[in-house]
Amino acid sequence: MKNLTSLKNQYETELLDNILPFWLKHSKDIEKGGYFTCLDREGKVFDTDKFIWLQARQVWTFAMLYQRLEAKTEWLDFALHGARFLMQYGRDKKGHWYFSLNREGEPLIQPYNIFSDCFACMAFGQLYKVTNEKAYAEIALKSFQNILARQDNPKGIYNKAFPDTRPLKNFALPMILCNLCLEMENLLEPGLVESTIDACIREVMEVFYHEESGLILENVDPDGHFSDSFDGRLLNPGHAIEAMWFILDLAARKKDQALAKKAIKITLDTLNKGWDPTYGGIFYFMDIKGHPPQQLEWDQKLWWVHLETMVALLKGYQLSRNEQCWQWFEKVHDYTWQHFPDPEYGEWYGYLNRRGEVLLPLKGGKWKGCFHVPRALWQCRKVLDFLNE
């Protein structure tokens, strides 16, 4: 078993001395506001478009660390810098958050993606916790109400699927609501928190759970049944495992050992299915029946998948002392730290090919920003600190 003190120091040092300084140095748009997220290997800006969910994630990250790790004025000021840009430019007249803006804040892509709203909700809810500014609470609550109003048809008028022929619902929203409810708990009525949590647990652990395989499906029909189609057969191991650490947090909150045990089993079953036996690492997408997936990037190894897996395994071990969780944690830890960090220029690579070679040297882009790496390092450090007591 690896030394717990050394592990805790490894995760903490990486967060404080590598990851956060990289974003503080390279991503702030001093002239126009908000953050640059399209950064090359060295941290140079290669595109100035601003993606709302990445802007909001970065606000949340620095505000959260200010509250939970250390009250550094630099961190809070950095979060507020992004929040001001979002408040000025991020929403349409109905309060829905755009997907992307140009550098100056003019809308580029309509608010089709409900996850812009989810992460804006997290960001302003977190800022309210650390500043007690009522305006932030109002934005967070309005965004949460919009999410609930749209949850049955998240894309609304922007849904390109033909209605009724093959209606499917997606795993991502109930998954994220598991975490968002806890983030927003201080602002919501207790009854709404509990009912939303219970509904999300049911969706994640029953509706999207494929009992025959023990795995989580990305899409099911409206009644929760399996759809034998590209989308219906789709597995996203990283999504499923990330959701399991959200569920483990809820299980700990509810003191529900049965729920925790099931979440740990799903995590381990997903790893046994999703681990690449040839080159190591976790596949991005799979087909539950073993057919060729429609996603051409199916065999890539992504940063966030491995980071979220380490969080889930540590939380599973913390709650159960299940040795399989620790064995898998060491295996994923070794692969992750060997392949993703960039010791020369800082931060982590996001995209590897199947063999574990760097596919794209960027440190941030349209989908990768300042979120998964710092959040996971913080979560792992926190659990390792607990285990070391």
mmCIF file of all heavy atoms in Angstrom, residues 29-54:
data_model
loop_
_atom_site.group_PDB
_atom_site.id
_atom_site.type_symbol
_atom_site.label_atom_id
_atom_site.label_comp_id
_atom_site.label_asym_id
_atom_site.label_seq_id
_atom_site.Cartn_x
_atom_site.Cartn_y
_atom_site.Cartn_z
ATOM 1 N N ASP A 29 -8.147 37.326 -18.783
ATOM 2 C CA ASP A 29 -8.245 38.345 -19.830
ATOM 3 C C ASP A 29 -8.390 39.696 -19.140
ATOM 4 O O ASP A 29 -9.483 40.104 -18.743
ATOM 5 C CB ASP A 29 -9.442 38.068 -20.741
ATOM 6 C CG ASP A 29 -9.504 39.024 -21.938
ATOM 7 O OD1 ASP A 29 -8.778 40.039 -21.931
ATOM 8 O OD2 ASP A 29 -10.287 38.759 -22.868
ATOM 9 N N ILE A 30 -7.287 40.381 -19.003
ATOM 10 C CA ILE A 30 -7.270 41.635 -18.254
ATOM 11 C C ILE A 30 -8.036 42.727 -18.986
ATOM 12 O O ILE A 30 -8.715 43.560 -18.376
ATOM 13 C CB ILE A 30 -5.808 42.073 -18.007
ATOM 14 C CG1 ILE A 30 -5.090 41.028 -17.151
ATOM 15 C CG2 ILE A 30 -5.747 43.438 -17.329
ATOM 16 C CD1 ILE A 30 -3.593 41.259 -17.029
ATOM 17 N N GLU A 31 -7.999 42.708 -20.318
ATOM 18 C CA GLU A 31 -8.597 43.788 -21.100
ATOM 19 C C GLU A 31 -10.107 43.661 -21.221
ATOM 20 O O GLU A 31 -10.843 44.641 -21.066
ATOM 21 C CB GLU A 31 -7.978 43.811 -22.494
ATOM 22 C CG GLU A 31 -6.493 44.148 -22.493
ATOM 23 C CD GLU A 31 -5.919 44.133 -23.909
ATOM 24 O OE1 GLU A 31 -6.715 44.103 -24.876
ATOM 25 O OE2 GLU A 31 -4.682 44.126 -24.044
ATOM 26 N N LYS A 32 -10.612 42.452 -21.511
ATOM 27 C CA LYS A 32 -12.025 42.287 -21.837
ATOM 28 C C LYS A 32 -12.814 41.586 -20.739
ATOM 29 O O LYS A 32 -14.048 41.528 -20.797
ATOM 30 C CB LYS A 32 -12.173 41.489 -23.140
ATOM 31 C CG LYS A 32 -11.469 42.112 -24.336
ATOM 32 C CD LYS A 32 -12.077 43.464 -24.705
ATOM 33 C CE LYS A 32 -11.397 44.024 -25.955
ATOM 34 N NZ LYS A 32 -11.952 45.345 -26.337
ATOM 35 N N GLY A 33 -12.134 41.028 -19.752
ATOM 36 C CA GLY A 33 -12.835 40.315 -18.688
ATOM 37 C C GLY A 33 -12.936 38.825 -18.963
ATOM 38 O O GLY A 33 -12.738 38.347 -20.084
ATOM 39 N N GLY A 34 -13.250 38.079 -17.929
ATOM 40 C CA GLY A 34 -13.381 36.637 -18.060
ATOM 41 C C GLY A 34 -12.032 35.966 -18.238
ATOM 42 O O GLY A 34 -10.971 36.541 -17.945
ATOM 43 N N TYR A 35 -12.074 34.740 -18.731
ATOM 44 C CA TYR A 35 -10.866 33.924 -18.834
ATOM 45 C C TYR A 35 -10.650 33.419 -20.256
ATOM 46 O O TYR A 35 -11.602 33.112 -20.966
ATOM 47 C CB TYR A 35 -10.972 32.693 -17.919
ATOM 48 C CG TYR A 35 -11.414 32.970 -16.514
ATOM 49 C CD1 TYR A 35 -12.645 32.482 -16.058
ATOM 50 C CD2 TYR A 35 -10.625 33.704 -15.625
ATOM 51 C CE1 TYR A 35 -13.068 32.712 -14.759
ATOM 52 C CE2 TYR A 35 -11.037 33.939 -14.326
ATOM 53 C CZ TYR A 35 -12.262 33.438 -13.897
ATOM 54 O OH TYR A 35 -12.679 33.674 -12.604
ATOM 55 N N PHE A 36 -9.391 33.300 -20.631
ATOM 56 C CA PHE A 36 -9.023 32.516 -21.797
ATOM 57 C C PHE A 36 -8.922 31.060 -21.358
ATOM 58 O O PHE A 36 -8.278 30.752 -20.355
ATOM 59 C CB PHE A 36 -7.668 32.962 -22.356
ATOM 60 C CG PHE A 36 -7.619 34.383 -22.815
ATOM 61 C CD1 PHE A 36 -6.756 35.290 -22.215
ATOM 62 C CD2 PHE A 36 -8.423 34.821 -23.857
ATOM 63 C CE1 PHE A 36 -6.692 36.608 -22.643
ATOM 64 C CE2 PHE A 36 -8.372 36.147 -24.294
ATOM 65 C CZ PHE A 36 -7.503 37.038 -23.677
ATOM 66 N N THR A 37 -9.538 30.161 -22.110
ATOM 67 C CA THR A 37 -9.401 28.740 -21.790
ATOM 68 C C THR A 37 -8.677 27.967 -22.890
ATOM 69 O O THR A 37 -8.238 26.840 -22.645
ATOM 70 C CB THR A 37 -10.766 28.071 -21.546
ATOM 71 O OG1 THR A 37 -11.560 28.123 -22.735
ATOM 72 C CG2 THR A 37 -11.501 28.732 -20.393
ATOM 73 N N CYS A 38 -8.542 28.561 -24.063
ATOM 74 C CA CYS A 38 -7.858 27.868 -25.152
ATOM 75 C C CYS A 38 -6.364 28.181 -25.059
ATOM 76 O O CYS A 38 -5.869 29.166 -25.627
ATOM 77 C CB CYS A 38 -8.429 28.298 -26.500
ATOM 78 S SG CYS A 38 -10.153 27.844 -26.719
ATOM 79 N N LEU A 39 -5.654 27.342 -24.305
ATOM 80 C CA LEU A 39 -4.246 27.557 -24.017
ATOM 81 C C LEU A 39 -3.431 26.393 -24.562
ATOM 82 O O LEU A 39 -3.797 25.231 -24.367
ATOM 83 C CB LEU A 39 -4.033 27.671 -22.500
ATOM 84 C CG LEU A 39 -4.875 28.733 -21.784
ATOM 85 C CD1 LEU A 39 -4.636 28.661 -20.271
ATOM 86 C CD2 LEU A 39 -4.561 30.132 -22.306
ATOM 87 N N ASP A 40 -2.327 26.693 -25.237
ATOM 88 C CA ASP A 40 -1.495 25.637 -25.778
ATOM 89 C C ASP A 40 -0.616 25.036 -24.683
ATOM 90 O O ASP A 40 -0.782 25.338 -23.490
ATOM 91 C CB ASP A 40 -0.668 26.137 -26.966
ATOM 92 C CG ASP A 40 0.434 27.128 -26.583
ATOM 93 O OD1 ASP A 40 0.716 27.309 -25.376
ATOM 94 O OD2 ASP A 40 1.035 27.713 -27.512
ATOM 95 N N ARG A 41 0.304 24.204 -25.072
ATOM 96 C CA ARG A 41 1.105 23.493 -24.080
ATOM 97 C C ARG A 41 1.825 24.447 -23.122
ATOM 98 O O ARG A 41 1.928 24.198 -21.929
ATOM 99 C CB ARG A 41 2.133 22.594 -24.782
ATOM 100 C CG ARG A 41 2.934 21.748 -23.795
ATOM 101 C CD ARG A 41 4.042 20.962 -24.460
ATOM 102 N NE ARG A 41 4.785 20.212 -23.458
ATOM 103 C CZ ARG A 41 5.964 19.648 -23.656
ATOM 104 N NH1 ARG A 41 6.540 19.740 -24.856
ATOM 105 N NH2 ARG A 41 6.572 18.992 -22.677
ATOM 106 N N GLU A 42 2.315 25.579 -23.654
ATOM 107 C CA GLU A 42 3.070 26.512 -22.834
ATOM 108 C C GLU A 42 2.190 27.516 -22.105
ATOM 109 O O GLU A 42 2.682 28.317 -21.314
ATOM 110 C CB GLU A 42 4.078 27.251 -23.713
ATOM 111 C CG GLU A 42 5.094 26.341 -24.378
ATOM 112 C CD GLU A 42 6.042 27.097 -25.282
ATOM 113 O OE1 GLU A 42 6.304 28.288 -25.018
ATOM 114 O OE2 GLU A 42 6.520 26.505 -26.263
ATOM 115 N N GLY A 43 0.875 27.483 -22.400
ATOM 116 C CA GLY A 43 -0.028 28.438 -21.781
ATOM 117 C C GLY A 43 -0.353 29.634 -22.649
ATOM 118 O O GLY A 43 -1.046 30.561 -22.202
ATOM 119 N N LYS A 44 0.112 29.637 -23.901
ATOM 120 C CA LYS A 44 -0.191 30.742 -24.810
ATOM 121 C C LYS A 44 -1.608 30.603 -25.355
ATOM 122 O O LYS A 44 -2.060 29.499 -25.661
ATOM 123 C CB LYS A 44 0.818 30.766 -25.962
ATOM 124 C CG LYS A 44 2.245 31.050 -25.512
ATOM 125 C CD LYS A 44 3.218 30.929 -26.669
ATOM 126 C CE LYS A 44 4.658 31.119 -26.206
ATOM 127 N NZ LYS A 44 5.635 30.890 -27.310
ATOM 128 N N VAL A 45 -2.301 31.720 -25.519
ATOM 129 C CA VAL A 45 -3.686 31.724 -25.994
ATOM 130 C C VAL A 45 -3.706 31.445 -27.493
ATOM 131 O O VAL A 45 -3.039 32.130 -28.273
ATOM 132 C CB VAL A 45 -4.351 33.083 -25.704
ATOM 133 C CG1 VAL A 45 -5.787 33.102 -26.246
ATOM 134 C CG2 VAL A 45 -4.339 33.372 -24.205
ATOM 135 N N PHE A 46 -4.474 30.422 -27.897
ATOM 136 C CA PHE A 46 -4.588 30.134 -29.336
ATOM 137 C C PHE A 46 -5.985 30.398 -29.880
ATOM 138 O O PHE A 46 -6.196 30.344 -31.092
ATOM 139 C CB PHE A 46 -4.137 28.700 -29.663
ATOM 140 C CG PHE A 46 -5.011 27.596 -29.128
ATOM 141 C CD1 PHE A 46 -6.141 27.180 -29.810
ATOM 142 C CD2 PHE A 46 -4.695 26.958 -27.936
ATOM 143 C CE1 PHE A 46 -6.935 26.145 -29.334
ATOM 144 C CE2 PHE A 46 -5.475 25.923 -27.447
ATOM 145 C CZ PHE A 46 -6.606 25.517 -28.149
ATOM 146 N N ASP A 47 -6.936 30.716 -29.022
ATOM 147 C CA ASP A 47 -8.271 31.124 -29.467
ATOM 148 C C ASP A 47 -8.908 31.904 -28.328
ATOM 149 O O ASP A 47 -8.713 31.559 -27.154
ATOM 150 C CB ASP A 47 -9.131 29.913 -29.832
ATOM 151 C CG ASP A 47 -10.347 30.298 -30.665
ATOM 152 O OD1 ASP A 47 -11.351 30.758 -30.064
ATOM 153 O OD2 ASP A 47 -10.307 30.157 -31.889
ATOM 154 N N THR A 48 -9.668 32.951 -28.666
ATOM 155 C CA THR A 48 -10.180 33.851 -27.623
ATOM 156 C C THR A 48 -11.663 33.674 -27.338
ATOM 157 O O THR A 48 -12.226 34.423 -26.535
ATOM 158 C CB THR A 48 -9.916 35.316 -28.000
ATOM 159 O OG1 THR A 48 -10.571 35.604 -29.246
ATOM 160 C CG2 THR A 48 -8.428 35.592 -28.108
ATOM 161 N N ASP A 49 -12.340 32.713 -28.001
ATOM 162 C CA ASP A 49 -13.749 32.466 -27.684
ATOM 163 C C ASP A 49 -13.882 32.036 -26.225
ATOM 164 O O ASP A 49 -12.983 31.406 -25.657
ATOM 165 C CB ASP A 49 -14.322 31.387 -28.590
ATOM 166 C CG ASP A 49 -14.550 31.867 -30.008
ATOM 167 O OD1 ASP A 49 -14.392 33.075 -30.263
ATOM 168 O OD2 ASP A 49 -14.872 31.016 -30.878
ATOM 169 N N LYS A 50 -15.031 32.383 -25.634
ATOM 170 C CA LYS A 50 -15.256 32.109 -24.206
ATOM 171 C C LYS A 50 -16.504 31.248 -24.046
ATOM 172 O O LYS A 50 -17.593 31.645 -24.456
ATOM 173 C CB LYS A 50 -15.362 33.420 -23.432
ATOM 174 C CG LYS A 50 -14.030 34.158 -23.425
ATOM 175 C CD LYS A 50 -14.094 35.554 -22.862
ATOM 176 C CE LYS A 50 -12.701 36.182 -22.915
ATOM 177 N NZ LYS A 50 -12.740 37.616 -22.544
ATOM 178 N N PHE A 51 -16.300 30.099 -23.438
ATOM 179 C CA PHE A 51 -17.344 29.100 -23.288
ATOM 180 C C PHE A 51 -17.909 29.213 -21.873
ATOM 181 O O PHE A 51 -17.172 29.114 -20.893
ATOM 182 C CB PHE A 51 -16.778 27.707 -23.570
ATOM 183 C CG PHE A 51 -16.088 27.649 -24.910
ATOM 184 C CD1 PHE A 51 -14.713 27.840 -25.015
ATOM 185 C CD2 PHE A 51 -16.826 27.470 -26.068
ATOM 186 C CE1 PHE A 51 -14.089 27.830 -26.244
ATOM 187 C CE2 PHE A 51 -16.209 27.460 -27.308
ATOM 188 C CZ PHE A 51 -14.839 27.646 -27.405
ATOM 189 N N ILE A 52 -19.216 29.437 -21.799
ATOM 190 C CA ILE A 52 -19.827 29.797 -20.526
ATOM 191 C C ILE A 52 -19.576 28.749 -19.456
ATOM 192 O O ILE A 52 -19.258 29.078 -18.308
ATOM 193 C CB ILE A 52 -21.341 30.035 -20.701
ATOM 194 C CG1 ILE A 52 -21.584 31.271 -21.571
ATOM 195 C CG2 ILE A 52 -22.026 30.189 -19.346
ATOM 196 C CD1 ILE A 52 -21.084 32.568 -21.005
ATOM 197 N N TRP A 53 -19.706 27.477 -19.803
ATOM 198 C CA TRP A 53 -19.561 26.486 -18.746
ATOM 199 C C TRP A 53 -18.127 26.445 -18.222
ATOM 200 O O TRP A 53 -17.907 26.210 -17.038
ATOM 201 C CB TRP A 53 -20.066 25.120 -19.203
ATOM 202 C CG TRP A 53 -19.278 24.418 -20.277
ATOM 203 C CD1 TRP A 53 -18.516 24.972 -21.250
ATOM 204 C CD2 TRP A 53 -19.209 22.998 -20.458
ATOM 205 N NE1 TRP A 53 -17.978 23.986 -22.049
ATOM 206 C CE2 TRP A 53 -18.382 22.770 -21.589
ATOM 207 C CE3 TRP A 53 -19.772 21.915 -19.795
ATOM 208 C CZ2 TRP A 53 -18.101 21.485 -22.064
ATOM 209 C CZ3 TRP A 53 -19.486 20.627 -20.274
ATOM 210 C CH2 TRP A 53 -18.661 20.434 -21.391
ATOM 211 N N LEU A 54 -17.128 26.715 -19.080
ATOM 212 C CA LEU A 54 -15.753 26.752 -18.614
ATOM 213 C C LEU A 54 -15.468 28.013 -17.806
ATOM 214 O O LEU A 54 -14.712 27.975 -16.821
ATOM 215 C CB LEU A 54 -14.785 26.651 -19.791
ATOM 216 C CG LEU A 54 -14.834 25.352 -20.600
ATOM 217 C CD1 LEU A 54 -13.739 25.346 -21.675
ATOM 218 C CD2 LEU A 54 -14.691 24.122 -19.712
#
